[in-house]
mmCIF file of all heavy atoms in Angstrom:
data_model
loop_
_atom_site.group_PDB
_atom_site.id
_atom_site.type_symbol
_atom_site.label_atom_id
_atom_site.label_comp_id
_atom_site.label_asym_id
_atom_site.label_seq_id
_atom_site.Cartn_x
_atom_site.Cartn_y
_atom_site.Cartn_z
ATOM 1 N N VAL B 286 -17.930 -8.717 5.634
ATOM 2 C CA VAL B 286 -16.798 -9.504 5.278
ATOM 3 C C VAL B 286 -17.097 -10.262 3.955
ATOM 4 O O VAL B 286 -16.171 -10.426 3.145
ATOM 5 C CB VAL B 286 -16.463 -10.504 6.431
ATOM 6 C CG1 VAL B 286 -15.394 -11.517 6.081
ATOM 7 C CG2 VAL B 286 -16.017 -9.704 7.647
ATOM 8 N N GLY B 287 -18.332 -10.608 3.754
ATOM 9 C CA GLY B 287 -18.757 -11.268 2.506
ATOM 10 C C GLY B 287 -18.589 -10.376 1.318
ATOM 11 O O GLY B 287 -18.567 -10.823 0.149
ATOM 12 N N LEU B 288 -18.468 -9.037 1.505
ATOM 13 C CA LEU B 288 -18.203 -8.143 0.402
ATOM 14 C C LEU B 288 -16.726 -8.079 0.006
ATOM 15 O O LEU B 288 -16.360 -7.317 -0.863
ATOM 16 C CB LEU B 288 -18.673 -6.683 0.754
ATOM 17 C CG LEU B 288 -20.082 -6.334 0.995
ATOM 18 C CD1 LEU B 288 -20.164 -4.807 1.213
ATOM 19 C CD2 LEU B 288 -20.930 -6.755 -0.193
ATOM 20 N N GLY B 289 -15.972 -8.798 0.785
ATOM 21 C CA GLY B 289 -14.536 -8.855 0.527
ATOM 22 C C GLY B 289 -13.760 -7.821 1.341
ATOM 23 O O GLY B 289 -12.574 -7.666 1.186
ATOM 24 N N VAL B 290 -14.436 -7.071 2.228
ATOM 25 C CA VAL B 290 -13.755 -6.070 3.039
ATOM 26 C C VAL B 290 -12.878 -6.788 4.082
ATOM 27 O O VAL B 290 -13.369 -7.753 4.748
ATOM 28 C CB VAL B 290 -14.738 -5.149 3.804
ATOM 29 C CG1 VAL B 290 -13.990 -4.111 4.596
ATOM 30 C CG2 VAL B 290 -15.704 -4.472 2.789
ATOM 31 N N ARG B 291 -11.631 -6.373 4.225
ATOM 32 C CA ARG B 291 -10.696 -7.058 5.123
ATOM 33 C C ARG B 291 -11.144 -6.945 6.594
ATOM 34 O O ARG B 291 -11.373 -5.829 7.080
ATOM 35 C CB ARG B 291 -9.302 -6.432 5.023
ATOM 36 C CG ARG B 291 -8.531 -6.881 3.747
ATOM 37 C CD ARG B 291 -7.328 -6.019 3.524
ATOM 38 N NE ARG B 291 -7.738 -4.623 3.177
ATOM 39 C CZ ARG B 291 -6.846 -3.667 3.034
ATOM 40 N NH1 ARG B 291 -5.563 -3.857 3.245
ATOM 41 N NH2 ARG B 291 -7.271 -2.439 2.747
ATOM 42 N N ALA B 292 -11.251 -8.096 7.229
ATOM 43 C CA ALA B 292 -11.855 -8.136 8.635
ATOM 44 C C ALA B 292 -11.009 -7.289 9.575
ATOM 45 O O ALA B 292 -11.558 -6.652 10.487
ATOM 46 C CB ALA B 292 -11.931 -9.559 9.063
ATOM 47 N N GLU B 293 -9.691 -7.247 9.304
ATOM 48 C CA GLU B 293 -8.840 -6.514 10.297
ATOM 49 C C GLU B 293 -9.007 -4.988 10.188
ATOM 50 O O GLU B 293 -8.541 -4.223 11.007
ATOM 51 C CB GLU B 293 -7.374 -6.927 10.142
ATOM 52 C CG GLU B 293 -6.698 -6.508 8.853
ATOM 53 C CD GLU B 293 -6.837 -7.569 7.724
ATOM 54 O OE1 GLU B 293 -7.751 -8.350 7.780
ATOM 55 O OE2 GLU B 293 -5.980 -7.506 6.810
ATOM 56 N N LYS B 294 -9.739 -4.549 9.159
ATOM 57 C CA LYS B 294 -9.988 -3.159 9.005
ATOM 58 C C LYS B 294 -11.344 -2.720 9.533
ATOM 59 O O LYS B 294 -11.823 -1.588 9.368
ATOM 60 C CB LYS B 294 -9.949 -2.776 7.512
ATOM 61 C CG LYS B 294 -8.581 -2.890 6.863
ATOM 62 C CD LYS B 294 -7.803 -1.626 7.139
ATOM 63 C CE LYS B 294 -6.414 -1.704 6.533
ATOM 64 N NZ LYS B 294 -5.709 -0.477 6.869
ATOM 65 N N LEU B 295 -12.030 -3.715 10.122
ATOM 66 C CA LEU B 295 -13.407 -3.442 10.664
ATOM 67 C C LEU B 295 -13.382 -3.638 12.155
ATOM 68 O O LEU B 295 -12.733 -4.551 12.666
ATOM 69 C CB LEU B 295 -14.391 -4.463 10.033
ATOM 70 C CG LEU B 295 -14.620 -4.367 8.517
ATOM 71 C CD1 LEU B 295 -15.391 -5.608 8.021
ATOM 72 C CD2 LEU B 295 -15.431 -3.116 8.187
ATOM 73 N N ARG B 296 -14.193 -2.845 12.861
ATOM 74 C CA ARG B 296 -14.374 -3.082 14.274
ATOM 75 C C ARG B 296 -15.655 -2.363 14.758
ATOM 76 O O ARG B 296 -16.243 -1.575 14.025
ATOM 77 C CB ARG B 296 -13.198 -2.501 15.080
ATOM 78 C CG ARG B 296 -13.168 -0.997 15.093
ATOM 79 C CD ARG B 296 -12.029 -0.469 16.002
ATOM 80 N NE ARG B 296 -12.153 0.994 16.166
ATOM 81 C CZ ARG B 296 -11.180 1.801 16.612
ATOM 82 N NH1 ARG B 296 -10.007 1.229 16.904
ATOM 83 N NH2 ARG B 296 -11.412 3.042 16.751
ATOM 84 N N PHE B 297 -16.133 -2.826 15.919
ATOM 85 C CA PHE B 297 -17.304 -2.212 16.536
ATOM 86 C C PHE B 297 -16.842 -1.183 17.502
ATOM 87 O O PHE B 297 -15.829 -1.386 18.217
ATOM 88 C CB PHE B 297 -18.127 -3.264 17.233
ATOM 89 C CG PHE B 297 -18.959 -4.128 16.365
ATOM 90 C CD1 PHE B 297 -18.666 -5.484 16.215
ATOM 91 C CD2 PHE B 297 -20.043 -3.596 15.662
ATOM 92 C CE1 PHE B 297 -19.438 -6.293 15.435
ATOM 93 C CE2 PHE B 297 -20.816 -4.400 14.825
ATOM 94 C CZ PHE B 297 -20.506 -5.770 14.715
ATOM 95 N N HIS B 298 -17.679 -0.152 17.657
ATOM 96 C CA HIS B 298 -17.480 0.826 18.740
ATOM 97 C C HIS B 298 -18.784 0.971 19.483
ATOM 98 O O HIS B 298 -19.768 1.353 18.865
ATOM 99 C CB HIS B 298 -16.986 2.140 18.208
ATOM 100 C CG HIS B 298 -17.131 3.251 19.234
ATOM 101 N ND1 HIS B 298 -16.330 3.339 20.345
ATOM 102 C CD2 HIS B 298 -17.989 4.290 19.284
ATOM 103 C CE1 HIS B 298 -16.680 4.388 21.014
ATOM 104 N NE2 HIS B 298 -17.753 5.024 20.461
ATOM 105 N N GLN B 299 -18.867 0.556 20.711
ATOM 106 C CA GLN B 299 -20.068 0.710 21.480
ATOM 107 C C GLN B 299 -20.216 2.154 21.974
ATOM 108 O O GLN B 299 -19.237 2.727 22.544
ATOM 109 C CB GLN B 299 -20.159 -0.238 22.651
ATOM 110 C CG GLN B 299 -21.470 -0.234 23.428
ATOM 111 C CD GLN B 299 -21.621 -1.296 24.466
ATOM 112 O OE1 GLN B 299 -20.585 -1.802 24.963
ATOM 113 N NE2 GLN B 299 -22.828 -1.616 24.854
ATOM 114 N N HIS B 300 -21.399 2.753 21.806
ATOM 115 C CA HIS B 300 -21.547 4.137 22.227
ATOM 116 C C HIS B 300 -21.525 4.260 23.743
ATOM 117 O O HIS B 300 -22.053 3.452 24.486
ATOM 118 C CB HIS B 300 -22.953 4.639 21.770
ATOM 119 C CG HIS B 300 -22.978 5.026 20.316
ATOM 120 N ND1 HIS B 300 -23.884 5.910 19.753
ATOM 121 C CD2 HIS B 300 -22.150 4.674 19.300
ATOM 122 C CE1 HIS B 300 -23.655 6.036 18.466
ATOM 123 N NE2 HIS B 300 -22.596 5.276 18.150
ATOM 124 N N THR B 301 -20.860 5.292 24.189
ATOM 125 C CA THR B 301 -20.878 5.628 25.593
ATOM 126 C C THR B 301 -22.183 6.387 25.872
ATOM 127 O O THR B 301 -22.860 6.796 24.939
ATOM 128 C CB THR B 301 -19.689 6.585 26.003
ATOM 129 O OG1 THR B 301 -19.842 7.769 25.226
ATOM 130 C CG2 THR B 301 -18.382 5.919 25.718
ATOM 131 N N LYS B 302 -22.543 6.602 27.126
ATOM 132 C CA LYS B 302 -23.795 7.305 27.488
ATOM 133 C C LYS B 302 -23.869 8.669 26.766
ATOM 134 O O LYS B 302 -24.962 9.001 26.267
ATOM 135 C CB LYS B 302 -23.837 7.499 29.067
ATOM 136 C CG LYS B 302 -24.387 6.369 29.743
ATOM 137 C CD LYS B 302 -25.291 6.816 30.893
ATOM 138 C CE LYS B 302 -26.281 5.702 31.321
ATOM 139 N NZ LYS B 302 -25.611 4.455 31.767
ATOM 140 N N ASP B 303 -22.758 9.370 26.682
ATOM 141 C CA ASP B 303 -22.725 10.705 26.101
ATOM 142 C C ASP B 303 -22.942 10.625 24.571
ATOM 143 O O ASP B 303 -23.418 11.559 23.981
ATOM 144 C CB ASP B 303 -21.377 11.390 26.252
ATOM 145 C CG ASP B 303 -21.128 11.636 27.709
ATOM 146 O OD1 ASP B 303 -22.034 11.583 28.525
ATOM 147 O OD2 ASP B 303 -19.966 11.918 28.089
ATOM 148 N N GLU B 304 -22.546 9.558 23.946
ATOM 149 C CA GLU B 304 -22.665 9.401 22.486
ATOM 150 C C GLU B 304 -24.042 8.969 22.019
ATOM 151 O O GLU B 304 -24.335 9.163 20.864
ATOM 152 C CB GLU B 304 -21.658 8.408 22.005
ATOM 153 C CG GLU B 304 -20.188 8.871 22.060
ATOM 154 C CD GLU B 304 -19.190 7.770 21.712
ATOM 155 O OE1 GLU B 304 -19.227 6.738 22.440
ATOM 156 O OE2 GLU B 304 -18.471 7.931 20.787
ATOM 157 N N LEU B 305 -24.858 8.382 22.911
ATOM 158 C CA LEU B 305 -26.133 7.747 22.476
ATOM 159 C C LEU B 305 -27.065 8.855 21.908
ATOM 160 O O LEU B 305 -27.219 9.877 22.525
ATOM 161 C CB LEU B 305 -26.806 7.032 23.668
ATOM 162 C CG LEU B 305 -26.194 5.701 24.064
ATOM 163 C CD1 LEU B 305 -26.906 5.160 25.344
ATOM 164 C CD2 LEU B 305 -26.328 4.641 22.947
ATOM 165 N N ALA B 306 -27.709 8.511 20.791
ATOM 166 C CA ALA B 306 -28.692 9.382 20.227
ATOM 167 C C ALA B 306 -29.918 9.431 21.142
ATOM 168 O O ALA B 306 -30.074 8.539 22.001
ATOM 169 C CB ALA B 306 -29.116 8.860 18.850
ATOM 170 N N HIS B 307 -30.772 10.492 21.007
ATOM 171 C CA HIS B 307 -31.892 10.639 21.935
ATOM 172 C C HIS B 307 -32.850 9.468 21.960
ATOM 173 O O HIS B 307 -33.500 9.262 22.966
ATOM 174 C CB HIS B 307 -32.683 11.926 21.532
ATOM 175 C CG HIS B 307 -33.269 11.920 20.178
ATOM 176 N ND1 HIS B 307 -32.594 12.278 19.031
ATOM 177 C CD2 HIS B 307 -34.522 11.619 19.716
ATOM 178 C CE1 HIS B 307 -33.380 12.144 17.995
ATOM 179 N NE2 HIS B 307 -34.551 11.743 18.359
ATOM 180 N N TYR B 308 -32.847 8.632 20.891
ATOM 181 C CA TYR B 308 -33.790 7.508 20.850
ATOM 182 C C TYR B 308 -33.196 6.189 21.354
ATOM 183 O O TYR B 308 -33.859 5.168 21.347
ATOM 184 C CB TYR B 308 -34.327 7.324 19.402
ATOM 185 C CG TYR B 308 -33.201 7.291 18.358
ATOM 186 C CD1 TYR B 308 -32.337 6.197 18.265
ATOM 187 C CD2 TYR B 308 -33.024 8.374 17.468
ATOM 188 C CE1 TYR B 308 -31.323 6.173 17.309
ATOM 189 C CE2 TYR B 308 -31.991 8.311 16.543
ATOM 190 C CZ TYR B 308 -31.162 7.228 16.478
ATOM 191 O OH TYR B 308 -30.154 7.181 15.526
ATOM 192 N N ALA B 309 -31.892 6.164 21.585
ATOM 193 C CA ALA B 309 -31.198 4.851 21.711
ATOM 194 C C ALA B 309 -30.971 4.444 23.184
ATOM 195 O O ALA B 309 -30.584 5.236 24.031
ATOM 196 C CB ALA B 309 -29.915 4.843 20.946
ATOM 197 N N LYS B 310 -31.083 3.142 23.433
ATOM 198 C CA LYS B 310 -30.741 2.583 24.724
ATOM 199 C C LYS B 310 -29.352 1.970 24.670
ATOM 200 O O LYS B 310 -28.622 1.968 25.666
ATOM 201 C CB LYS B 310 -31.808 1.495 25.027
ATOM 202 C CG LYS B 310 -31.506 0.604 26.192
ATOM 203 C CD LYS B 310 -32.707 -0.370 26.435
ATOM 204 C CE LYS B 310 -32.216 -1.698 27.033
ATOM 205 N NZ LYS B 310 -33.280 -2.675 27.064
ATOM 206 N N ASP B 311 -28.992 1.434 23.534
ATOM 207 C CA ASP B 311 -27.679 0.888 23.297
ATOM 208 C C ASP B 311 -27.360 0.995 21.810
ATOM 209 O O ASP B 311 -28.296 0.919 20.985
ATOM 210 C CB ASP B 311 -27.715 -0.607 23.715
ATOM 211 C CG ASP B 311 -26.330 -1.284 23.790
ATOM 212 O OD1 ASP B 311 -25.360 -0.485 23.709
ATOM 213 O OD2 ASP B 311 -26.269 -2.487 23.959
ATOM 214 N N ALA B 312 -26.110 1.230 21.449
ATOM 215 C CA ALA B 312 -25.767 1.371 20.041
ATOM 216 C C ALA B 312 -24.344 1.018 19.765
ATOM 217 O O ALA B 312 -23.481 1.245 20.628
ATOM 218 C CB ALA B 312 -26.029 2.836 19.641
ATOM 219 N N TYR B 313 -24.093 0.441 18.582
ATOM 220 C CA TYR B 313 -22.756 0.177 18.113
ATOM 221 C C TYR B 313 -22.508 0.809 16.741
ATOM 222 O O TYR B 313 -23.372 0.744 15.872
ATOM 223 C CB TYR B 313 -22.594 -1.325 17.897
ATOM 224 C CG TYR B 313 -22.498 -2.124 19.214
ATOM 225 C CD1 TYR B 313 -23.689 -2.489 19.845
ATOM 226 C CD2 TYR B 313 -21.303 -2.442 19.800
ATOM 227 C CE1 TYR B 313 -23.634 -3.205 21.056
ATOM 228 C CE2 TYR B 313 -21.265 -3.149 20.995
ATOM 229 C CZ TYR B 313 -22.401 -3.529 21.606
ATOM 230 O OH TYR B 313 -22.381 -4.205 22.790
ATOM 231 N N ASP B 314 -21.381 1.483 16.624
ATOM 232 C CA ASP B 314 -20.917 1.890 15.292
ATOM 233 C C ASP B 314 -20.155 0.754 14.686
ATOM 234 O O ASP B 314 -19.393 0.071 15.406
ATOM 235 C CB ASP B 314 -19.998 3.093 15.391
ATOM 236 C CG ASP B 314 -20.678 4.336 15.842
ATOM 237 O OD1 ASP B 314 -21.842 4.416 15.772
ATOM 238 O OD2 ASP B 314 -19.930 5.241 16.269
#
Side-chain angles (χ1 to χ4, degrees):
V286 172
L288 293 186
V290 180
R291 285 167 292 174
E293 67 271 23
K294 292 277 179 182
L295 295 167
R296 73 176 188 196
F297 283 113
H298 163 72
Q299 185 174 20
H300 282 202
T301 60
K302 275 219 158 55
D303 295 344
E304 290 171 300
L305 285 176
H307 60 277
Y308 50 71
K310 169 176 151 190
D311 192 8
Y313 288 85
D314 291 341

